[in-house]
Each structure stands twice: as structure tokens, then as C-alpha cells.
Amino acid sequence: MPESSGVREVKSAARTVALLELLAGRGDRPARLDELAAQLGVPRSSMYQLLQTLVDRGWVRADTTGSLYGIGIRALLTGTSYLDSDRHVRVVRPYLDEASDALGETIHLARLDGADVVYLATRESHEYARTLSRVGRRVPAHAGALGKALLAERPDSELSLPAQPLTALTENTHTESATLLADLAEVRERGYSIDREETVPGIAGFGFALRYDTPAVDAISCSVPVARLTGEHEARIVAVMREMRMKIESLLSPASGAPDWR
């Protein structure tokens, strides 16, 4: 049985978490009992009992036929609590509004979680919709401005890059470690990251790590359609986002007395 920090993993708890994560990752695609049992390597009878327990408690929902399962409303309540209890998110939100008002573009806050970044807050532009950036969405860290800004805060030797090609979201996404590392070197020199249609076709992004943690785990970014990204507008975006970063970092620091969540 796997161990973490010398503590033996509780099999039933690990199985429950794996099931919830699997259902959450499917989005609007419900799953059948046999499918879930096969993907998690769990006996069908055990999976059925686990699903019924979670349905009764609201963590999983079933359709009227009882044959399809999806994530339940309790997961939403827990996710909302995570955001509401996070001091960093509360402090950053007003500055997302300020940047959005100043630039007229979409502004994000995201957090590094393993090999991905997770969106924690978004202020959408009134000029265009970008559904990829909804709160709670995960995106590979190598594939966009937010993730690259955070990866660049770490030495290359600490980055766990796979030997096989990296996942491509568009034809511009870095799929080779060598090209990604070269880009990260430019990010460190420049002080911010640039995503030119690497995450979404037609969209550019500019990412800024928030260095109230070392290494940084949170970042903010501005997304803009490339069709209206002039040199003048790009310079304005960089100036405003740098200012937002300075304001945020001046309010948040390890010495603030808030819990150091990990």
C-alpha cells in the first residue's frame, strides 16, 4: 500500500477520491457503472456500493434510470469553500477587476497543481467569450502563459518533463522539452511569459508569476485576440499587468501570518 510521509494510504479513501476526480474530469459526459469499475480497476459490486453511498450524500448524481453517473452538487460546495477561504484569491480578485477595466481584456488568476494550472478566478472581456478559462478548469502548464510564467520560476533541473512529446492543445503548443526550456529561459530574462496561440487558436496571453511564495505557485495573465493585438496594445498590457503584480505582491507575503497552505 502506498505511503506518504510515512503514513499508510487508506484504500477506501483513495478509491473515493479517485472516483470523484474521474467524474469531475469528464465534465458533461456521464459515466456508466461498468465503465467506472473498469477505469479504476474496482469490482463492479464494490463500485456500485461506493456510487450509491456518494449519491445518497450528494457527491455523485445519477440520472432517472440510475444507469448514468456524474459529479454531484457537494463537489461545487467544497470547491466554492476552497476559493472563499483562500486569502490570496480574496486579495487578488479586486486587481483582476482593475486590470480588466483598464485593458478591456480577459484577466485570469491560476495556481500550479502538479503538471497543470487550475483557474481560480477570471474576469471576462465583453468583447469575446473564452470558455476554456472557466474557474476550476485545468490546462497543462507547458501550454500557456500562466503555466510558463510559473515553470520559469523553477530551475530547469527541477522541472519534471516527460521523455515523450508534450501534449499539444494547438499547432503552436510546445511539444518538445528543448523548445519549452528555451522559451522558459526567455521568460526569466523578460520577466513575464508570452503565449501566442499555444492554448487557444486566435488568442494570445501574457503571464506574470506572483512571487509572494517561493517558488511562485500563483500567476495572473491577460488574454487578448491576436486580431487586435497591436504593438501599442501589447506594451499597454505588459505595463498594466506589471503594475497589478507589484500591487498584489506588496499586500501578500510569507510574513503576513496567514496559513502556509501546501
PDB file of all heavy atoms in Angstrom, residues 119-148:
ATOM      1  N   TYR A 119      -7.509  27.278 -12.997  1.00  0.00           N
ATOM      2  CA  TYR A 119      -8.042  28.634 -12.953  1.00  0.00           C
ATOM      3  C   TYR A 119      -8.808  28.855 -11.651  1.00  0.00           C
ATOM      4  O   TYR A 119      -9.717  28.077 -11.314  1.00  0.00           O
ATOM      5  CB  TYR A 119      -8.969  28.889 -14.137  1.00  0.00           C
ATOM      6  CG  TYR A 119      -8.245  29.028 -15.456  1.00  0.00           C
ATOM      7  CD1 TYR A 119      -8.045  27.919 -16.280  1.00  0.00           C
ATOM      8  CD2 TYR A 119      -7.775  30.258 -15.877  1.00  0.00           C
ATOM      9  CE1 TYR A 119      -7.376  28.043 -17.492  1.00  0.00           C
ATOM     10  CE2 TYR A 119      -7.114  30.394 -17.094  1.00  0.00           C
ATOM     11  CZ  TYR A 119      -6.917  29.279 -17.890  1.00  0.00           C
ATOM     12  OH  TYR A 119      -6.256  29.411 -19.082  1.00  0.00           O
ATOM     13  N   LEU A 120      -8.452  29.904 -10.921  1.00  0.00           N
ATOM     14  CA  LEU A 120      -9.103  30.235  -9.652  1.00  0.00           C
ATOM     15  C   LEU A 120     -10.061  31.409  -9.777  1.00  0.00           C
ATOM     16  O   LEU A 120     -11.000  31.526  -8.983  1.00  0.00           O
ATOM     17  CB  LEU A 120      -8.047  30.556  -8.588  1.00  0.00           C
ATOM     18  CG  LEU A 120      -7.031  29.463  -8.277  1.00  0.00           C
ATOM     19  CD1 LEU A 120      -6.078  29.946  -7.193  1.00  0.00           C
ATOM     20  CD2 LEU A 120      -7.721  28.174  -7.855  1.00  0.00           C
ATOM     21  N   ALA A 121      -9.826  32.300 -10.710  1.00  0.00           N
ATOM     22  CA  ALA A 121     -10.708  33.457 -10.902  1.00  0.00           C
ATOM     23  C   ALA A 121     -10.484  33.997 -12.306  1.00  0.00           C
ATOM     24  O   ALA A 121      -9.368  33.946 -12.831  1.00  0.00           O
ATOM     25  CB  ALA A 121     -10.417  34.544  -9.870  1.00  0.00           C
ATOM     26  N   THR A 122     -11.540  34.519 -12.897  1.00  0.00           N
ATOM     27  CA  THR A 122     -11.475  35.064 -14.253  1.00  0.00           C
ATOM     28  C   THR A 122     -12.386  36.267 -14.363  1.00  0.00           C
ATOM     29  O   THR A 122     -13.486  36.274 -13.817  1.00  0.00           O
ATOM     30  CB  THR A 122     -11.907  34.006 -15.291  1.00  0.00           C
ATOM     31  OG1 THR A 122     -10.936  32.959 -15.339  1.00  0.00           O
ATOM     32  CG2 THR A 122     -12.030  34.607 -16.675  1.00  0.00           C
ATOM     33  N   ARG A 123     -11.907  37.284 -15.048  1.00  0.00           N
ATOM     34  CA  ARG A 123     -12.731  38.442 -15.397  1.00  0.00           C
ATOM     35  C   ARG A 123     -12.784  38.484 -16.915  1.00  0.00           C
ATOM     36  O   ARG A 123     -11.798  38.777 -17.573  1.00  0.00           O
ATOM     37  CB  ARG A 123     -12.135  39.731 -14.827  1.00  0.00           C
ATOM     38  CG  ARG A 123     -12.065  39.746 -13.312  1.00  0.00           C
ATOM     39  CD  ARG A 123     -13.453  39.700 -12.683  1.00  0.00           C
ATOM     40  NE  ARG A 123     -13.405  39.705 -11.222  1.00  0.00           N
ATOM     41  CZ  ARG A 123     -13.435  38.630 -10.452  1.00  0.00           C
ATOM     42  NH1 ARG A 123     -13.500  37.423 -11.026  1.00  0.00           N
ATOM     43  NH2 ARG A 123     -13.399  38.728  -9.145  1.00  0.00           N
ATOM     44  N   GLU A 124     -13.950  38.156 -17.476  1.00  0.00           N
ATOM     45  CA  GLU A 124     -14.084  38.028 -18.922  1.00  0.00           C
ATOM     46  C   GLU A 124     -14.216  39.388 -19.604  1.00  0.00           C
ATOM     47  O   GLU A 124     -14.858  40.298 -19.106  1.00  0.00           O
ATOM     48  CB  GLU A 124     -15.324  37.185 -19.261  1.00  0.00           C
ATOM     49  CG  GLU A 124     -15.225  35.731 -18.841  1.00  0.00           C
ATOM     50  CD  GLU A 124     -14.373  34.903 -19.792  1.00  0.00           C
ATOM     51  OE1 GLU A 124     -13.843  35.481 -20.779  1.00  0.00           O
ATOM     52  OE2 GLU A 124     -14.227  33.692 -19.552  1.00  0.00           O
ATOM     53  N   SER A 125     -13.599  39.486 -20.782  1.00  0.00           N
ATOM     54  CA  SER A 125     -13.780  40.654 -21.630  1.00  0.00           C
ATOM     55  C   SER A 125     -15.201  40.659 -22.180  1.00  0.00           C
ATOM     56  O   SER A 125     -15.792  39.605 -22.426  1.00  0.00           O
ATOM     57  CB  SER A 125     -12.780  40.606 -22.788  1.00  0.00           C
ATOM     58  OG  SER A 125     -13.120  41.553 -23.783  1.00  0.00           O
ATOM     59  N   HIS A 126     -15.735  41.850 -22.397  1.00  0.00           N
ATOM     60  CA  HIS A 126     -17.057  41.957 -23.012  1.00  0.00           C
ATOM     61  C   HIS A 126     -16.970  41.805 -24.533  1.00  0.00           C
ATOM     62  O   HIS A 126     -17.995  41.710 -25.213  1.00  0.00           O
ATOM     63  CB  HIS A 126     -17.690  43.313 -22.673  1.00  0.00           C
ATOM     64  CG  HIS A 126     -17.955  43.498 -21.211  1.00  0.00           C
ATOM     65  ND1 HIS A 126     -18.788  42.665 -20.493  1.00  0.00           N
ATOM     66  CD2 HIS A 126     -17.493  44.421 -20.328  1.00  0.00           C
ATOM     67  CE1 HIS A 126     -18.832  43.064 -19.230  1.00  0.00           C
ATOM     68  NE2 HIS A 126     -18.049  44.128 -19.102  1.00  0.00           N
ATOM     69  N   GLU A 127     -15.734  41.766 -25.040  1.00  0.00           N
ATOM     70  CA  GLU A 127     -15.539  41.729 -26.485  1.00  0.00           C
ATOM     71  C   GLU A 127     -15.578  40.309 -27.049  1.00  0.00           C
ATOM     72  O   GLU A 127     -15.830  40.118 -28.228  1.00  0.00           O
ATOM     73  CB  GLU A 127     -14.192  42.376 -26.843  1.00  0.00           C
ATOM     74  CG  GLU A 127     -14.074  43.830 -26.414  1.00  0.00           C
ATOM     75  CD  GLU A 127     -15.057  44.728 -27.135  1.00  0.00           C
ATOM     76  OE1 GLU A 127     -15.351  44.444 -28.311  1.00  0.00           O
ATOM     77  OE2 GLU A 127     -15.528  45.701 -26.515  1.00  0.00           O
ATOM     78  N   TYR A 128     -15.277  39.316 -26.219  1.00  0.00           N
ATOM     79  CA  TYR A 128     -15.264  37.942 -26.722  1.00  0.00           C
ATOM     80  C   TYR A 128     -15.429  36.979 -25.562  1.00  0.00           C
ATOM     81  O   TYR A 128     -15.173  37.308 -24.413  1.00  0.00           O
ATOM     82  CB  TYR A 128     -13.961  37.637 -27.467  1.00  0.00           C
ATOM     83  CG  TYR A 128     -12.748  37.515 -26.567  1.00  0.00           C
ATOM     84  CD1 TYR A 128     -12.247  36.266 -26.197  1.00  0.00           C
ATOM     85  CD2 TYR A 128     -12.104  38.654 -26.082  1.00  0.00           C
ATOM     86  CE1 TYR A 128     -11.142  36.156 -25.378  1.00  0.00           C
ATOM     87  CE2 TYR A 128     -10.991  38.548 -25.260  1.00  0.00           C
ATOM     88  CZ  TYR A 128     -10.513  37.301 -24.913  1.00  0.00           C
ATOM     89  OH  TYR A 128      -9.429  37.205 -24.099  1.00  0.00           O
ATOM     90  N   ALA A 129     -15.880  35.760 -25.868  1.00  0.00           N
ATOM     91  CA  ALA A 129     -16.049  34.716 -24.857  1.00  0.00           C
ATOM     92  C   ALA A 129     -14.917  33.715 -24.986  1.00  0.00           C
ATOM     93  O   ALA A 129     -14.458  33.417 -26.083  1.00  0.00           O
ATOM     94  CB  ALA A 129     -17.398  34.011 -25.044  1.00  0.00           C
ATOM     95  N   ARG A 130     -14.486  33.172 -23.856  1.00  0.00           N
ATOM     96  CA  ARG A 130     -13.375  32.207 -23.850  1.00  0.00           C
ATOM     97  C   ARG A 130     -13.693  31.128 -22.818  1.00  0.00           C
ATOM     98  O   ARG A 130     -13.270  31.193 -21.689  1.00  0.00           O
ATOM     99  CB  ARG A 130     -12.073  32.927 -23.513  1.00  0.00           C
ATOM    100  CG  ARG A 130     -10.809  32.067 -23.653  1.00  0.00           C
ATOM    101  CD  ARG A 130      -9.588  32.959 -23.536  1.00  0.00           C
ATOM    102  NE  ARG A 130      -8.342  32.225 -23.719  1.00  0.00           N
ATOM    103  CZ  ARG A 130      -7.608  31.748 -22.723  1.00  0.00           C
ATOM    104  NH1 ARG A 130      -7.996  31.895 -21.476  1.00  0.00           N
ATOM    105  NH2 ARG A 130      -6.483  31.119 -22.969  1.00  0.00           N
ATOM    106  N   THR A 131     -14.479  30.135 -23.206  1.00  0.00           N
ATOM    107  CA  THR A 131     -14.992  29.150 -22.262  1.00  0.00           C
ATOM    108  C   THR A 131     -13.898  28.293 -21.643  1.00  0.00           C
ATOM    109  O   THR A 131     -14.099  27.709 -20.584  1.00  0.00           O
ATOM    110  CB  THR A 131     -16.012  28.228 -22.954  1.00  0.00           C
ATOM    111  OG1 THR A 131     -15.390  27.620 -24.092  1.00  0.00           O
ATOM    112  CG2 THR A 131     -17.209  29.021 -23.431  1.00  0.00           C
ATOM    113  N   LEU A 132     -12.727  28.217 -22.287  1.00  0.00           N
ATOM    114  CA  LEU A 132     -11.657  27.383 -21.752  1.00  0.00           C
ATOM    115  C   LEU A 132     -11.223  27.847 -20.369  1.00  0.00           C
ATOM    116  O   LEU A 132     -10.733  27.069 -19.567  1.00  0.00           O
ATOM    117  CB  LEU A 132     -10.454  27.424 -22.705  1.00  0.00           C
ATOM    118  CG  LEU A 132      -9.229  26.613 -22.289  1.00  0.00           C
ATOM    119  CD1 LEU A 132      -9.548  25.129 -22.367  1.00  0.00           C
ATOM    120  CD2 LEU A 132      -8.029  26.947 -23.153  1.00  0.00           C
ATOM    121  N   SER A 133     -11.431  29.129 -20.063  1.00  0.00           N
ATOM    122  CA  SER A 133     -10.866  29.723 -18.864  1.00  0.00           C
ATOM    123  C   SER A 133     -11.802  29.706 -17.661  1.00  0.00           C
ATOM    124  O   SER A 133     -11.565  30.417 -16.698  1.00  0.00           O
ATOM    125  CB  SER A 133     -10.455  31.173 -19.163  1.00  0.00           C
ATOM    126  OG  SER A 133     -11.586  31.926 -19.566  1.00  0.00           O
ATOM    127  N   ARG A 134     -12.846  28.908 -17.679  1.00  0.00           N
ATOM    128  CA  ARG A 134     -13.758  28.915 -16.555  1.00  0.00           C
ATOM    129  C   ARG A 134     -13.052  28.462 -15.270  1.00  0.00           C
ATOM    130  O   ARG A 134     -12.092  27.675 -15.322  1.00  0.00           O
ATOM    131  CB  ARG A 134     -14.971  28.035 -16.828  1.00  0.00           C
ATOM    132  CG  ARG A 134     -14.671  26.552 -16.890  1.00  0.00           C
ATOM    133  CD  ARG A 134     -15.948  25.749 -17.094  1.00  0.00           C
ATOM    134  NE  ARG A 134     -15.688  24.321 -17.057  1.00  0.00           N
ATOM    135  CZ  ARG A 134     -15.445  23.582 -18.116  1.00  0.00           C
ATOM    136  NH1 ARG A 134     -15.395  24.138 -19.309  1.00  0.00           N
ATOM    137  NH2 ARG A 134     -15.239  22.284 -18.006  1.00  0.00           N
ATOM    138  N   VAL A 135     -13.534  28.950 -14.143  1.00  0.00           N
ATOM    139  CA  VAL A 135     -12.946  28.614 -12.850  1.00  0.00           C
ATOM    140  C   VAL A 135     -12.994  27.099 -12.646  1.00  0.00           C
ATOM    141  O   VAL A 135     -14.014  26.451 -12.880  1.00  0.00           O
ATOM    142  CB  VAL A 135     -13.691  29.337 -11.723  1.00  0.00           C
ATOM    143  CG1 VAL A 135     -13.217  28.842 -10.357  1.00  0.00           C
ATOM    144  CG2 VAL A 135     -13.467  30.839 -11.835  1.00  0.00           C
ATOM    145  N   GLY A 136     -11.878  26.545 -12.198  1.00  0.00           N
ATOM    146  CA  GLY A 136     -11.776  25.106 -11.979  1.00  0.00           C
ATOM    147  C   GLY A 136     -11.200  24.338 -13.151  1.00  0.00           C
ATOM    148  O   GLY A 136     -10.846  23.165 -13.003  1.00  0.00           O
ATOM    149  N   ARG A 137     -11.082  24.985 -14.305  1.00  0.00           N
ATOM    150  CA  ARG A 137     -10.544  24.288 -15.484  1.00  0.00           C
ATOM    151  C   ARG A 137      -9.049  24.064 -15.320  1.00  0.00           C
ATOM    152  O   ARG A 137      -8.323  24.922 -14.832  1.00  0.00           O
ATOM    153  CB  ARG A 137     -10.814  25.112 -16.737  1.00  0.00           C
ATOM    154  CG  ARG A 137     -10.377  24.442 -18.045  1.00  0.00           C
ATOM    155  CD  ARG A 137     -11.233  23.232 -18.341  1.00  0.00           C
ATOM    156  NE  ARG A 137     -10.849  22.599 -19.599  1.00  0.00           N
ATOM    157  CZ  ARG A 137     -11.463  22.802 -20.748  1.00  0.00           C
ATOM    158  NH1 ARG A 137     -12.489  23.619 -20.818  1.00  0.00           N
ATOM    159  NH2 ARG A 137     -11.067  22.179 -21.834  1.00  0.00           N
ATOM    160  N   ARG A 138      -8.571  22.914 -15.768  1.00  0.00           N
ATOM    161  CA  ARG A 138      -7.152  22.572 -15.726  1.00  0.00           C
ATOM    162  C   ARG A 138      -6.573  22.655 -17.131  1.00  0.00           C
ATOM    163  O   ARG A 138      -7.210  22.219 -18.096  1.00  0.00           O
ATOM    164  CB  ARG A 138      -6.942  21.158 -15.184  1.00  0.00           C
ATOM    165  CG  ARG A 138      -7.532  20.906 -13.816  1.00  0.00           C
ATOM    166  CD  ARG A 138      -7.324  19.461 -13.383  1.00  0.00           C
ATOM    167  NE  ARG A 138      -5.925  19.215 -13.082  1.00  0.00           N
ATOM    168  CZ  ARG A 138      -5.399  19.376 -11.864  1.00  0.00           C
ATOM    169  NH1 ARG A 138      -6.164  19.784 -10.857  1.00  0.00           N
ATOM    170  NH2 ARG A 138      -4.130  19.127 -11.652  1.00  0.00           N
ATOM    171  N   VAL A 139      -5.363  23.192 -17.223  1.00  0.00           N
ATOM    172  CA  VAL A 139      -4.660  23.298 -18.502  1.00  0.00           C
ATOM    173  C   VAL A 139      -3.211  22.887 -18.263  1.00  0.00           C
ATOM    174  O   VAL A 139      -2.618  23.279 -17.245  1.00  0.00           O
ATOM    175  CB  VAL A 139      -4.719  24.737 -19.053  1.00  0.00           C
ATOM    176  CG1 VAL A 139      -3.846  24.878 -20.298  1.00  0.00           C
ATOM    177  CG2 VAL A 139      -6.156  25.128 -19.384  1.00  0.00           C
ATOM    178  N   PRO A 140      -2.609  22.106 -19.152  1.00  0.00           N
ATOM    179  CA  PRO A 140      -1.195  21.748 -18.974  1.00  0.00           C
ATOM    180  C   PRO A 140      -0.327  22.993 -18.804  1.00  0.00           C
ATOM    181  O   PRO A 140      -0.454  23.957 -19.562  1.00  0.00           O
ATOM    182  CB  PRO A 140      -0.862  20.998 -20.268  1.00  0.00           C
ATOM    183  CG  PRO A 140      -2.174  20.454 -20.741  1.00  0.00           C
ATOM    184  CD  PRO A 140      -3.193  21.487 -20.362  1.00  0.00           C
ATOM    185  N   ALA A 141       0.562  22.971 -17.824  1.00  0.00           N
ATOM    186  CA  ALA A 141       1.353  24.157 -17.503  1.00  0.00           C
ATOM    187  C   ALA A 141       2.248  24.592 -18.656  1.00  0.00           C
ATOM    188  O   ALA A 141       2.531  25.785 -18.815  1.00  0.00           O
ATOM    189  CB  ALA A 141       2.191  23.894 -16.258  1.00  0.00           C
ATOM    190  N   HIS A 142       2.685  23.642 -19.477  1.00  0.00           N
ATOM    191  CA  HIS A 142       3.601  23.996 -20.573  1.00  0.00           C
ATOM    192  C   HIS A 142       2.894  24.681 -21.734  1.00  0.00           C
ATOM    193  O   HIS A 142       3.552  25.190 -22.643  1.00  0.00           O
ATOM    194  CB  HIS A 142       4.298  22.736 -21.101  1.00  0.00           C
ATOM    195  CG  HIS A 142       3.377  21.811 -21.837  1.00  0.00           C
ATOM    196  ND1 HIS A 142       2.647  20.826 -21.194  1.00  0.00           N
ATOM    197  CD2 HIS A 142       3.043  21.716 -23.150  1.00  0.00           C
ATOM    198  CE1 HIS A 142       1.928  20.161 -22.076  1.00  0.00           C
ATOM    199  NE2 HIS A 142       2.139  20.682 -23.261  1.00  0.00           N
ATOM    200  N   ALA A 143       1.550  24.706 -21.701  1.00  0.00           N
ATOM    201  CA  ALA A 143       0.788  25.090 -22.884  1.00  0.00           C
ATOM    202  C   ALA A 143       0.258  26.516 -22.865  1.00  0.00           C
ATOM    203  O   ALA A 143      -0.506  26.880 -23.750  1.00  0.00           O
ATOM    204  CB  ALA A 143      -0.375  24.116 -23.079  1.00  0.00           C
ATOM    205  N   GLY A 144       0.609  27.331 -21.894  1.00  0.00           N
ATOM    206  CA  GLY A 144       0.049  28.673 -21.883  1.00  0.00           C
ATOM    207  C   GLY A 144       0.837  29.643 -21.043  1.00  0.00           C
ATOM    208  O   GLY A 144       1.824  29.280 -20.377  1.00  0.00           O
ATOM    209  N   ALA A 145       0.389  30.900 -21.048  1.00  0.00           N
ATOM    210  CA  ALA A 145       1.117  31.970 -20.370  1.00  0.00           C
ATOM    211  C   ALA A 145       1.183  31.758 -18.865  1.00  0.00           C
ATOM    212  O   ALA A 145       2.236  31.968 -18.245  1.00  0.00           O
ATOM    213  CB  ALA A 145       0.459  33.311 -20.691  1.00  0.00           C
ATOM    214  N   LEU A 146       0.087  31.365 -18.252  1.00  0.00           N
ATOM    215  CA  LEU A 146       0.064  31.184 -16.804  1.00  0.00           C
ATOM    216  C   LEU A 146       1.053  30.107 -16.365  1.00  0.00           C
ATOM    217  O   LEU A 146       1.863  30.308 -15.459  1.00  0.00           O
ATOM    218  CB  LEU A 146      -1.347  30.809 -16.349  1.00  0.00           C
ATOM    219  CG  LEU A 146      -2.384  31.928 -16.406  1.00  0.00           C
ATOM    220  CD1 LEU A 146      -3.788  31.342 -16.452  1.00  0.00           C
ATOM    221  CD2 LEU A 146      -2.236  32.867 -15.215  1.00  0.00           C
ATOM    222  N   GLY A 147       0.981  28.961 -17.007  1.00  0.00           N
ATOM    223  CA  GLY A 147       1.860  27.860 -16.629  1.00  0.00           C
ATOM    224  C   GLY A 147       3.319  28.154 -16.902  1.00  0.00           C
ATOM    225  O   GLY A 147       4.188  27.855 -16.078  1.00  0.00           O
ATOM    226  N   LYS A 148       3.607  28.747 -18.056  1.00  0.00           N
ATOM    227  CA  LYS A 148       5.008  29.040 -18.389  1.00  0.00           C
ATOM    228  C   LYS A 148       5.595  30.070 -17.433  1.00  0.00           C
ATOM    229  O   LYS A 148       6.775  29.996 -17.078  1.00  0.00           O
ATOM    230  CB  LYS A 148       5.121  29.505 -19.832  1.00  0.00           C
ATOM    231  CG  LYS A 148       4.844  28.406 -20.849  1.00  0.00           C
ATOM    232  CD  LYS A 148       5.305  28.779 -22.241  1.00  0.00           C
ATOM    233  CE  LYS A 148       4.591  29.991 -22.785  1.00  0.00           C
ATOM    234  NZ  LYS A 148       5.049  30.337 -24.142  1.00  0.00           N
TER     235      LYS A 148
END
